[in-house]
Amino acid sequence: MTILHDRPLAITLFLLFGVLILSSLIGWLLSRQVRSPDNRDTIANLNARVNAWWVMTAVFLLSVMVGPLGSVILFALMSFLALREYLALSPTLRADHRALLWLVFVVLPLNYVLVATRWYGLFAIFIPVYGFIWLQIRIALSGETEEFLDRTARIQWGMMVAIYFLSYVPALLMLEIPAYSAEGRNFALLMFLVLVAQASDVLQYVVGKLAGRHPIAPRVSPNKTVEGFFGGIVLASLLGAALYRLTPFPPLAAGLMALVICLMGFAGGLIMSATKRDRGVKDFGTLLPGHGGMLDRIDSLCFSAPVFFHLTRYFYT
Amino acid sequence: MLEVLIIGLVRLVTGAVGRSFGFSFEPPQQRIYYANHTSHLDTLVIWSLIPRDQRRRVRPAAAQDYWWASRWRRYLAEQVLHCVPVVRHRASPTENPLEAVEAAFAQGDSLIIFPEGTRGTGEEMQPFRSGLYHLAAKFPEAELVPVYLHNLNRTLPKGEFLPVPIVCTVAFGAGLRLIEGEKRDDFIARAQRALEGLAAL
């Protein structure tokens, strides 16, 4: 329960719940006012999103409070759910079944065991080197050569994004940051990353809905606007700077780190939108009402976590 | 207890979501769910998506030569899923392969059947056998519900033992009944088209 003894974190959580309560109130008031069917759908979707946020916040906080193992298990489960959605949209052949079993039941758990045991040296190369090589061997051994490179590439990509990239979030717990880690505050850094990445998504959405005029990438993601991009990213970066007490960074560096998280998060959203467009779907799934699937929610996190981890590791450890 | 465990596992692996295309579980009535067959998980997935209070009275039809062949399978078929046996290899030409199935329906149970008769690869549906017609003719009050299972051929294909987690969607189509005077082949073709129509959705 160190979480509650960490003053900056306690204040952050207090404010977070304030924002959630406020969102629920605004959603409730809006739902009483709307008339046109179009707006009603938007508000219903907004309220579904807010409700899902309550659930996600609760699950996330409870897991992190359990301790490092709680975070590792939570993210392992998220990888599992993300992979389940990704595979549904990625055509593989009958011959790939065994390779997929390796991916889900061996590579995924081992990767998170390395995170839990804080074995950085092997964690960093386990999937990019050994996972990458072994899956290709296994697929080649199946004897099926039709679309060999396509199938292999699809499976490898899912492994990188849904397992390796995402596991960089709990991997933050193994960083040894002088003074900071000695006080056992790494989970506040994890909280910083998740809060900024998700706030950036939400603020881009909100600013885009309120003031969005010019699509930023009309062919990939028609709902993303220039106004939403700049507004959301500036606001979320300022939020990051304001949350500097959660981190080992001084305020300016916290703001810059937040900016990187936001930019990578935006890129992640764009990459995933392009992937969905390629597969002809709007969402990866229906797991989280209002948001879509697990991958729709964590796309920004997947791409910001590894960069944030390595920047922090390079400059602060 | 075992039921809850199995349903939990099936949901974890398949994340099965039911989508309705002109079908509703309400009001409860006797139905014959018929589906494409590519995996051992097919029955479990449909079963897990049927509302709990109706599930108790839904009996999957299962091949006797396979499901009653070992103790473990037999336990699963009889005790957990309450399957009814279908005879695939008749001892004599007069034997009715659907005898137990018809008896179950006559008792008031709903059914899950796979009119292809065996598991396919998932690429193309095999022609339906005539059992569906015999049931529709014998029980004109039954609602025949086409159920198309997506992706299960990838989750657990024929010949594999462990499933890969892949999100599966299950499309429930509008129920159909035998039209008076409809010929056997016409009805079978219509039922198969209704199911194939769901594949594209």
Side-chain angles (χ1 to χ4, degrees):
Chain A
M1 287 294 151
T2 36
I3 236 175
L4 299 175
H5 298 292
D6 193 309
R7 230 177 108 80
L9 192 62
I11 296 170
T12 310
L13 293 183
F14 185 75
L15 292 174
L16 174 63
F17 280 109
V19 170
L20 280 175
I21 292 170
L22 195 67
S23 315
S24 289
L25 263 176
I26 293 174
W28 178 70
L29 285 174
L30 284 173
S31 70
R32 283 173 45 121
Q33 282 186 348
V34 289
R35 293 283 174 267
S36 78
D38 244 22
N39 288 340
R40 197 171 300 151
D41 285 351
T42 309
I43 302 299
N45 176 273
L46 178 77
N47 282 321
R49 278 174 191 247
V50 174
N51 291 341
W53 273 121
W54 276 101
V55 178
M56 289 188 282
T57 308
V59 171
F60 176 67
L61 289 179
L62 284 174
S63 314
V64 176
M65 279 164 82
V66 167
L69 198 59
S71 314
V72 173
I73 293 174
L74 173 72
F75 280 89
L77 190 65
M78 284 163 68
S79 279
F80 179 90
L81 295 173
L83 213 50
R84 202 177 74 166
E85 288 169 0
Y86 173 73
L87 291 177
L89 295 178
S90 314
T92 53
L93 293 182
R94 168 76 183 78
D96 300 326
H97 193 80
R98 294 292 165 90
L100 293 174
L101 286 176
W102 276 95
L103 175 65
V104 177
F105 294 110
V106 180
V107 175
L108 189 158
L110 274 182
N111 178 67
Y112 280 94
V113 165
L114 294 173
V115 175
T117 54
R118 309 160 69 97
W119 188 350
Y120 171 75
L122 188 53
F123 160 74
I125 59 158
F126 176 63
I127 284 182
V129 176
Y130 296 104
F132 190 85
I133 294 174
W134 170 241
L135 279 186
Q136 288 188 65
I137 296 177
R138 190 62 194 82
I139 296 169
L141 285 177
S142 76
E144 176 64 78
T145 53
E146 194 189 320
E147 292 193 14
F148 175 76
L149 204 51
D150 303 53
R151 286 152 51 210
T152 313
R154 274 185 207 116
I155 296 173
Q156 309 272 32
W157 194 88
M159 172 172 73
M160 284 304 280
V161 175
I163 306 177
Y164 186 63
F165 284 1
L166 188 61
S167 64
Y168 268 108
V169 182
L172 287 169
L173 297 176
M174 65 168 130
L175 288 177
E176 298 283 351
I177 304 165
Y180 185 79
S181 298
E183 291 172 34
R185 295 195 65 208
N186 279 33
F187 62 86
L189 197 60
L190 192 159
M191 208 74 86
F192 174 81
L193 166 65
V194 174
L195 274 177
V196 171
Q198 301 299 338
S200 168
D201 279 4
V202 172
L203 289 166
Q204 285 179 51
Y205 168 83
V206 171
V207 176
K209 280 277 174 219
L210 294 177
R213 298 281 177 277
H214 308 88
I216 194 165
R219 288 190 55 200
V220 179
S221 188
N223 288 329
K224 287 190 171 56
T225 60
V226 178
E227 292 82 356
F229 172 74
F230 282 109
I233 281 177
V234 168
L235 288 174
S237 301
L238 289 175
L239 174 75
L243 292 175
Y244 82 97
R245 277 172 179 283
L246 290 181
T247 70
F249 322 133
L252 181 65
L256 286 175
M257 283 289 198
L259 178 64
V260 172
I261 295 172
C262 296
L263 289 174
M264 294 314 298
F266 176 81
L270 209 59
I271 292 166
M272 292 304 210
S273 292
T275 312
K276 286 183 274 189
R277 208 132 272 248
D278 174 32
R279 307 304 320 148
V281 295
K282 206 184 135 286
D283 287 326
F284 275 109
T286 53
L287 190 71
L288 305 165
H291 298 266
M294 175 59 73
L295 268 176
D296 296 296
R297 188 62 276 141
I298 61 170
D299 50 7
S300 53
L301 209 50
C302 287
F303 286 84
S304 53
V307 178
F308 177 67
F309 177 97
H310 283 295
L311 285 178
T312 308
R313 185 169 181 277
Y314 183 76
F315 287 112
Y316 290 89
T317 67
Chain B
M1 192 48 216
L2 194 56
E3 179 178 330
V4 175
L5 186 74
I6 290 177
I7 289 181
L9 274 177
V10 168
R11 295 224 167 115
L12 187 67
V13 171
T14 66
V17 211
R19 293 179 64 195
S20 164
F21 297 92
F23 168 77
S24 167
F25 283 107
E26 295 302 323
Q29 65 172 97
Q30 255 189 296
R31 299 192 176 93
I32 298 172
Y33 301 94
Y34 69 96
N36 57 319
H37 201 15
T38 57
S39 166
H40 275 330
L41 287 173
D42 291 346
T43 311
L44 286 169
V45 167
I46 300 175
W47 186 70
S48 73
L49 287 172
I50 292 172
R52 220 181 139 177
D53 50 329
Q54 294 181 32
R55 198 185 299 144
R56 304 251 147 100
R57 301 229 53 183
V58 174
R59 307 191 61 184
Q64 190 179 39
D65 55 283
Y66 183 86
W67 284 101
W68 271 260
S70 80
R71 261 175 85 182
W72 191 84
R73 283 185 216 155
R74 184 176 173 154
Y75 176 80
L76 187 67
E78 280 187 348
Q79 303 301 317
V80 183
L81 294 165
H82 309 292
C83 292
V84 276
V86 178
V87 181
R88 283 199 291 198
H89 311 289
R90 286 186 276 184
S92 74
T94 51
E95 189 182 349
N96 177 5
L98 292 175
E99 197 179 321
V101 177
E102 287 173 5
F105 195 89
Q107 272 177 33
D109 292 330
S110 287
L111 303 168
I112 298 175
I113 68 167
F114 300 103
E116 292 167 278
T118 186
R119 286 174 291 158
T121 57
E123 271 129 45
E124 205 154 308
M125 232 183 277
Q126 295 159 73
F128 280 12
R129 309 225 182 160
S130 59
L132 197 62
Y133 168 79
H134 294 299
L135 289 170
K138 186 150 187 180
F139 305 107
E141 73 278 17
E143 184 185 33
L144 276 72
V145 182
V147 182
Y148 192 85
L149 303 152
H150 289 272
N151 271 347
L152 279 158
N153 55 316
R154 296 179 55 209
T155 306
L156 184 65
K158 201 169 182 166
E160 290 288 345
F161 182 69
L162 279 174
V164 171
I166 296 180
V167 173
C168 303
T169 35
V170 181
F172 289 85
L176 43 102
R177 289 184 169 82
L178 186 65
I179 300 167
E180 222 176 278
E182 193 172 19
K183 293 214 173 59
R184 188 185 79 174
D185 293 348
D186 295 341
F187 175 77
I188 293 289
R190 182 161 69 96
Q192 182 148 9
R193 271 201 310 277
L195 188 55
E196 282 164 348
L198 290 172
L201 296 173

